[in-house]
Structures are given as structure tokens and as C-alpha cells.
Amino acid sequence: MTHNPTISQAELDRRTIRRGDLVSCDNAFIDCRTPGSDRKENYALIGSGVSQSAGQLINLREDHGYNIGAAAMPNGVTNSLHMHFTAEVFLNFRGTWRFRWGKDGKGGEYVSSEGDIITVPTWIFRGFTNEGADDGWLFTALGQSDTGGIIWGPSVLNEAEGHGLYLTADNRLIDTVAGDELPEDGHLIRPMPEDVVDSLREYSAEEMRGRITTAADRVFHCEPFLCSTLPGGGAELAAVIGYGMAEDRDITPRVSNPHSFNVAWLRARPGEGMLRHWHAETQVLIVKSGVWKVQLNQGSDVVEVTLHPEDTLSVPPHAWRTLHADSAADGDDFAELVVVNGGDARVRLHWAPEVWREATEKGLSRDADGYVAPVFLLAMTTDDD
């Protein structure tokens, strides 16, 4: 029998990260004085990400197996070329952004619009520029608890030295203009040798397009869960990265290589959502539009939070939860949110006993592989542990 923790209202509130709670670090990276890159805003919502500043505020430090952050900058400002060892995913919630990749940023370009989800391959240089309004907004997801830091393009490091900025071997930012002293042992990050840069894999624009999911690319399934045909359980799901928590055998993600997390787009009409369930992975909900209500626990222990656009909620593993759209944005039929679950494997949902009873009455169960199937074809699995 799996233990389902009872989450207090105080704990639920602590795990709720309001858009207004976010505090940017404007000197998070070594290019913070480089002209054209000196007005960036970096946010660390869950985990420290790849920030190189000791002053970075982190809203929630719990280990999720991945990191959630955000980036913003005025029109025309650029995030310099850099590389990661683990997955980096951009969720374009607002604005127009030009992404570039490859050596010197000349491997290819893509202009991103609101609603895009872009997963950049590991071990290639990438950068981006805000080409839209000043209030553009990107959420980010970085793979693994420890991302291994950030590797800057050679020209970025060389230019930063001219502004008194250096990086130590343990990824600390040294600001000699502000009075920091260089380490006596001299262990500073040096630019990547040219021959190593030349050896990195190249990605064509066509290859990169396969790793981008636009609003038009999203394929929503109207019955992704056991609860989908039950009253209040009518959320629709579009798998983007990984198979995630889908229980419809016909759902296929656009991107399936390992990230250490999976990403899906969930939408529901007001009053609909997901009925009571739990699963064993970390889960982060990021609201794109509308208003959502999330309840944790069961019975008299139920606690609730209301989420608005760009609010983020971390749901503890094994906790009972329901989520429902309370209202959609003006003129929209659906409220929408992005769901990030930990791990590369499929996420097994455990439904409350009442969900199983209602599903059985409608002639539904799940097969041995965890997909929704007619109950007359198989022995009933209650799975209400």
C-alpha cells in the first residue's frame, strides 16, 4: 500500500509560485555587461538552473529531477551563445523570439511565436533575441537536478573579460569591477578550443523544426484518461515531449528522446479537468490561460489553490490531486496549462476508488499496459492503492 501524504494548506501555498512572486537576477550570467546582452532578466522558479550568481533568488529549492526557470528581456536584447549538457526546453508564453544555433550562431535560425515549445539538443551552442514587445516571456525547463552548468561560446568569454567578468571552474561568477578577487589557484574557465567547437554536431533547420511544437502542431486527444468521459473529467491532452501520463494508446509525442522530464499541453472547458488521482513523479503545472483550481488530499483534508496565467504549482509526488478549469480567457473555449512530470518513462496514474466505480459503470477499465480499454475484454483492475 502506497502512502499518500496529507498536504497542508501552508505547504500548498509554499509550492504555489505566483507570477508576482518572481524576482529577476540581472547579473546571473557572464555576459551581463556585454552591450546588447546587458538587460536580461533571469528567474529561477524551481532549482537553481544554470545561474552563475550567488544573488539569484530561487522560489522553490526542492529537487524535482529537473529545473524550471524563466527568461525575459526588452526588445533587441540577446541571450549570448551558450551550450548545455542536459535538455533545455523553452515555453514561449508571450512574444516573438529569434533562436539561433551552431558555431557562431550560424547553424540555423527559427523565429518563435507565442505557444511554441522548443527543445534544443544538448551539446550545441544556442542563443536567442527578443524581436517582439518588451514584455516577452519564456519559461524554461532544464534536464536533471544538476545541469552541469553552462558552457559559453569562446567569443562570449573573451568579451566578458574586457568587462572584468570571469568564471571559476566551479561555475562562480567573479566580478573584478565589483571588487571580487580572482582565485589564487587560477582555476578559471577558458574558451573552448576551436577544434572542439568544430567537432560539435550540426543541426539543420529541418532537423530543428522536428524539435519545435507550435500551436498548430499540437494534436489534442479528447479522451486521454480513464476519467475523460466522466462528469468533470473532460480535459484534453496534447503530448509534446515524452509519453507522460497519457492513457490513450494512440497518443504519440512529437519529441520522444530522453529529457529527464516530459511535457504536455492540457486544456479544458470550464468545469472540466482531471478527477482525483495521484502518481509517483514530481509534477509542475504552469498556467497559460484561464483560471484553474487545484485540490490536494481527500475527504475533510482537501486543500485548494486557484491559479492564474503564468502562476506555477509544484505538486508533491504521491499526493492526491484534482485539477479543473474554473474559467477561460475572454473569447476562448478552453483554459490551458503546461504539465511537466519527472522522468523519461510513462507516468502511471492511480485513480481514486470513486473514479474506478464510475468508469466501470460506463464499461471502461485499463489493460495490462495501462491504457484505457473496454472492461468486457479484461478482468477489472481496481488499482485504487
Side-chain angles (χ1 to χ4, degrees):
M1 184 69 70
T2 300
H3 173 65
N4 300 112
T6 299
I7 308 303
S8 68
Q9 185 67 56
E11 177 64 4
L12 176 57
D13 293 343
R14 189 182 72 86
R15 288 176 167 269
T16 301
I17 305 172
R18 303 290 183 188
R19 173 64 180 87
D21 294 339
L22 303 184
V23 177
S24 73
C25 181
D26 300 333
N27 61 347
F29 300 118
I30 197 168
D31 62 343
C32 62
R33 290 203 188 104
T34 301
S37 298
D38 53 346
R39 291 184 293 160
K40 298 187 302 181
E41 299 173 4
N42 185 71
Y43 302 83
L45 283 72
I46 299 174
S48 61
V50 290
S51 174
Q52 294 164 329
S53 172
Q56 176 80 65
L57 183 142
I58 302 171
N59 293 86
L60 192 63
R61 292 182 176 272
E62 271 83 349
D63 184 358
H64 282 57
Y66 50 90
N67 295 255
I68 301 293
M73 59 187 74
N75 174 276
V77 175
T78 292
N79 189 314
S80 303
L81 286 175
H82 62 282
M83 190 177 80
H84 294 297
F85 297 130
T86 67
E88 182 174 43
V89 174
F90 295 95
L91 312 171
N92 185 349
F93 268 40
R94 191 168 59 252
T96 301
W97 303 81
R98 183 178 297 273
F99 288 83
R100 59 186 62 83
W101 62 87
K103 182 180 179 181
D104 299 324
K106 297 178 180 178
E109 292 188 346
Y110 172 76
V111 179
S112 170
S113 301
E114 181 175 334
D116 288 354
I117 296 180
I118 303 168
T119 171
V120 183
T122 60
W123 281 85
I124 69 166
F125 285 108
R126 81 291 307 267
F128 52 92
T129 302
N130 180 4
E131 294 192 347
D134 288 345
D135 67 347
W137 187 262
L138 297 169
F139 281 103
T140 61
L142 290 165
Q144 307 299 337
S145 301
D146 180 356
T147 67
I150 187 170
I151 302 89
W152 293 100
S155 62
V156 178
L157 289 174
N158 289 331
E159 188 164 3
E161 286 192 16
H163 298 287
L165 295 169
Y166 301 82
L167 274 180
T168 65
D170 58 354
N171 208 39
R172 289 183 297 111
L173 185 62
I174 301 295
D175 184 350
T176 57
V177 174
D180 294 343
E181 295 185 2
L182 293 175
E184 293 182 3
D185 55 18
H187 286 173
L188 297 175
I189 297 294
R190 296 303 179 189
M192 183 180 290
E194 193 71 17
D195 62 328
V196 177
V197 174
D198 290 339
S199 72
L200 297 176
R201 179 179 166 180
E202 297 179 356
Y203 283 80
S204 67
E206 181 181 6
E207 288 176 303
M208 193 66 76
R209 181 62 181 85
R211 302 180 63 86
I212 297 167
T213 304
T214 68
D217 293 328
R218 293 198 295 267
V219 178
F220 281 98
H221 292 253
C222 16
E223 297 183 9
F225 308 119
L226 182 69
C227 72
S228 294
T229 59
L230 307 181
E236 300 183 3
L237 183 81
V240 179
I241 298 171
Y243 287 85
M245 57 187 186
E247 296 181 314
D248 179 342
R249 71 180 68 86
D250 293 325
I251 292 180
T252 302
R254 185 169 173 84
V255 180
S256 58
N257 70 290
H259 280 58
S260 83
F261 57 86
N262 56 81
V263 179
W265 203 284
L266 193 82
R267 71 182 186 184
R269 292 182 171 86
E272 299 294 328
M274 293 182 69
L275 301 181
R276 200 167 309 280
H277 66 285
W278 66 269
H279 65 71
E281 305 299 333
T282 57
Q283 183 177 69
V284 174
L285 309 176
I286 309 174
V287 176
K288 177 62 175 70
S289 67
V291 177
W292 290 80
K293 289 190 181 296
V294 180
Q295 292 184 335
L296 303 187
N297 308 326
Q298 296 197 98
S300 60
D301 293 321
V302 167
V303 293
E304 181 178 279
V305 65
T306 300
L307 302 175
H308 300 272
E310 298 179 7
D311 286 348
T312 301
L313 173 65
S314 166
V315 183
H318 300 283
W320 287 107
R321 85 258 346 236
T322 65
L323 49 144
H324 287 94
D326 190 54
S327 64
D330 290 344
D332 292 342
D333 293 330
F334 295 92
E336 299 184 320
L337 55 77
V338 172
V339 182
V340 182
N341 291 311
D344 291 311
R346 282 175 52 208
V347 177
R348 184 75 173 227
L349 301 182
H350 301 261
W351 296 99
E354 66 270 17
V355 177
W356 278 106
R357 285 193 296 269
E358 289 185 57
T360 303
E361 291 171 1
K362 292 184 71 74
L364 297 174
S365 186
R366 289 194 309 202
D367 65 18
D369 213 18
Y371 292 115
V372 177
V375 71
F376 70 83
L377 284 177
L378 48 140
M380 177 57 187
T381 302
T382 56
D383 196 16
D384 57 358
D385 57 347

